[in-house]
Amino acid sequence: MPKYRRILLKFSGEALMGKVSYGIDPEMAQQIAQELQELNSMGIEIGLVIGGGNIFRGAGLAAAGMDRVTADHMGMLATVMNALALQDALERFNVFCRVMSAIRINEVCEDYIRRRAIRHLEKGRLVIFAAGTGNPFFTTDTAASLRAIEIGAELLIKATKVDGIYSADPLINPNAQFFPKLNYDQVIEHKLAVMDATAIIMCRDHSLPLRIFDMYKAGALTRIIKGEDVGTLVA
Ligand code: UDP
């Protein structure tokens, strides 16, 4: 029996890069879609937030001299492209899916309307929340915590390249300590690089548990949904 009925899953844009150095690796999109199809077929209601860092990040463009707000608009549009790629991959696995954008772009996808999003979920459709929060100076991590709270998700799951939260980057420092469980304030206080502070504070203030896991571990998502202790829990 699954432990959770409705979840919000956050993937960074880089998750879609797979073997390519920029943009979207269709093989990676298929791989993610296949895992999601399994959860969907278990009857889990899935909301998805996808980043845009594989295409554009506002801060990076601004550092190169671009106006920050324009740069963030480009970043948000990048997340729409990723959302469309994932929608396409999911549909090839016969998962009913809707992209809902925080920026109006009606020829391409639906607008984000909370009640409609919840209705889609209730009907078993996977909802991809695109364009972040719709506002510059925010991140898709914050969009993930915001949407999770709005739709009443029981768990926010963030897919990363490492299998949880460590005291330092384990890919650089082999002596980094692994934390199976932390509270929100520990993450904020020790500036543990897991999600930006705004996102963590939103989770804390609304008692939304957060789990960090390694997206490259096959079957990890399903184990999380069944209630197994995979990765790090922040609660
Ligand atoms: N962005 C934004 N507002 C939001 C979410 C995202 O302006 O609410 C922009 C911002 O420029 C960001 C880019 O979209 O750099 C891509 O999102 P993010 O960096 O969070 O993607 P990820 O690192 O998860 O791939």
Side-chain angles (χ1 to χ4, degrees):
M1 267 302 276
K3 180 173 178 188
Y4 303 99
R5 199 180 46 83
R6 182 176 293 170
I7 57 157
L8 191 297
L9 190 63
K10 157 80 205 288
F11 279 99
S12 69
E14 280 174 4
L16 283 176
M17 252 168 23
K19 289 189 213 83
V20 301
S21 57
Y22 172 86
I24 300 163
D25 178 354
E27 231 174 80
M28 202 59 212
Q30 289 289 302
Q31 211 170 302
I32 294 173
Q34 191 171 3
E35 284 237 16
L36 294 176
Q37 189 258 341
E38 275 171 42
L39 295 192
N40 181 259
S41 67
M42 286 162 66
I44 311 299
E45 297 179 9
I46 309 165
L48 204 72
V49 167
I50 177 113
N54 56 322
I55 303 171
F56 289 125
R57 272 206 188 92
L61 294 173
M66 187 182 274
D67 167 65
R68 175 64 191 261
V69 175
T70 304
D72 279 342
H73 286 157
M74 290 173 69
M76 286 188 269
L77 291 175
T79 73
V80 178
M81 288 197 253
N82 285 337
L84 294 176
L86 216 48
Q87 175 177 245
D88 175 82
L90 283 159
E91 284 177 345
R92 280 191 266 158
F93 279 97
N94 300 314
V95 177
F96 292 103
C97 179
R98 295 285 189 276
V99 174
M100 303 190 100
S101 170
I103 292 175
R104 209 169 305 149
I105 175 167
N106 282 164
E107 281 72 12
V108 173
C109 59
E110 295 183 22
D111 294 342
Y112 169 67
I113 297 170
R114 175 175 168 265
R115 283 171 191 278
R116 249 169 118 168
I118 290 172
R119 190 79 190 112
H120 286 320
L121 293 169
E122 287 169 349
K123 286 189 171 172
R125 296 175 189 141
L126 189 151
V127 178
I128 307 178
F129 299 106
T133 64
N135 300 294
F137 303 106
F138 284 90
T139 64
T140 50
D141 279 356
T142 301
S145 54
L146 174 66
R147 294 292 183 245
I149 294 161
E150 284 186 276
I151 63 168
E154 294 147 299
L155 181 69
L156 170 54
I157 308 175
K158 179 169 171 172
T160 65
K161 282 185 266 186
V162 288
D163 59 352
I165 306 179
Y166 286 79
S167 55
D169 185 346
L171 303 175
I172 297 168
N173 181 353
N175 296 320
Q177 186 196 349
F178 174 74
F179 302 114
K181 189 165 190 268
L182 291 165
N183 63 41
Y184 307 104
D185 287 327
Q186 285 171 316
V187 175
I188 297 163
E189 202 177 305
H190 300 294
K191 295 193 171 67
L192 298 169
V194 38
M195 269 199 149
D196 63 71
T198 315
I200 296 283
I201 289 168
M202 285 200 63
C203 291
R204 181 192 67 188
D205 291 354
H206 298 272
S207 306
L208 172 68
L210 163 71
R211 198 173 269 284
I212 314 292
F213 84 107
D214 178 356
M215 62 186 192
Y216 295 116
K217 255 195 203 136
L221 255 180
T222 311
R223 289 177 55 207
I224 291 173
I225 299 301
K226 287 185 177 157
E228 286 183 41
D229 247 336
V230 176
T232 299
L233 178 69
V234 182

